Amino acid sequence: MRALWLEDRALGARGDVPLPVPPAGEALVRVRLAGICNTDLELVKGYYPFAGIPGHEFVGEVVSAETPGWAGRRVVGEINASCGSCPTCAAGRRTHCPARTVLGIKGRNGAMAECLTLPVANLHAVPDGVSDEAAVFTEPLAAALEVQEQVAIGRGARVVVIGDGKLGQLVSRTLAIAGHAPTVVGRHRRKLALLARAGIATAAAADLAPREADVVVECTGNPDGLALARSLVRPRGTIVLKSTYHGDVTVNLSAIVVDEVTLVGSRCGPFAPALAMLAGGAITVTDLIDDRFALADGVRAFARAAEHGVLKVLIAA
């Protein structure tokens, strides 16, 4: 089958990848659309030593599954495939299973291909009224919703989102829907205009008072975001870290201790609420799509996604 292949930081198109054979409990899914996210771009830079087919944001159609009722259904899928039997899984922390594979990121070929395999337990049926173009945002939308799963944000809290890119847009929109009135720090006029159109306040970093935010969500995708978050959060405030990137960052941990700042790492989130939001029309996501490429042009799609200021780029398998 056709697929993109990443190895030794080199991304290429291949037409000779064997069609995956789903093991017991898994389904074979034909990919309809896949989305490129910042993590995929960072994998190309060497963020994590992954070799294989990248991509974890997708909507597809089940070709075959042992479980009755799934064949032919349009689906999205949670990306962490856990063992289900270790103490971590038994404790309800399946996304942190030490034996897990992660779609297109760790030990499992991903969605930038004609087909993929995932456990049936990871699949979620896409409601009929949700387009493929909207459904492909389920995974990043779920990741945005995870912020509110992890942090109890009180009414009237001063919430700042740093980053006006793909994830920052979704995080700020979900916070606004929940009534938290975030202010988004960004530098791109077009992206800030999208937020303004959604009724979300925006500001330059220099215009915000330091050390006053109750909650800061860092979505920049670069190391500078943490330093800015640290300057904006109040003592005993909370910083939620959403960025993944290649390389290390220097942090003054003593200052965090003295100010008793809470740092929360945040990644995957709940698919069911994300699909419900899409199905109910509570959130708009398709305005974030900047371009679309065929799988055969996948390398060019990655180059486009890496351009400054570009939002979501889709690959049609």
Side-chain angles (χ1 to χ4, degrees), residues 160-162 183-185 202-212 228 231-232:
V160 175
V161 176
I162 305 176
T183 298
V184 180
V185 176
T202 64
D207 295 333
L208 294 179
R211 295 168 61 85
E212 285 193 357
L228 178 55
S231 71
L232 294 175

Side-chain angles (χ1 to χ4, degrees), residues 184-212:
V184 180
V185 176
R187 295 180 294 184
H188 306 94
R189 183 176 301 175
R190 182 175 67 93
K191 296 177 183 179
L192 295 174
L194 286 173
L195 293 162
R197 216 170 294 152
I200 296 171
T202 64
D207 295 333
L208 294 179
R211 295 168 61 85
E212 285 193 357

Side-chain angles (χ1 to χ4, degrees), residues 69-85:
W70 281 101
R73 299 187 77 177
R74 203 162 50 109
V75 296
V76 291
E78 299 186 39
I79 69 175
N80 295 279
S82 58
C83 74
S85 58

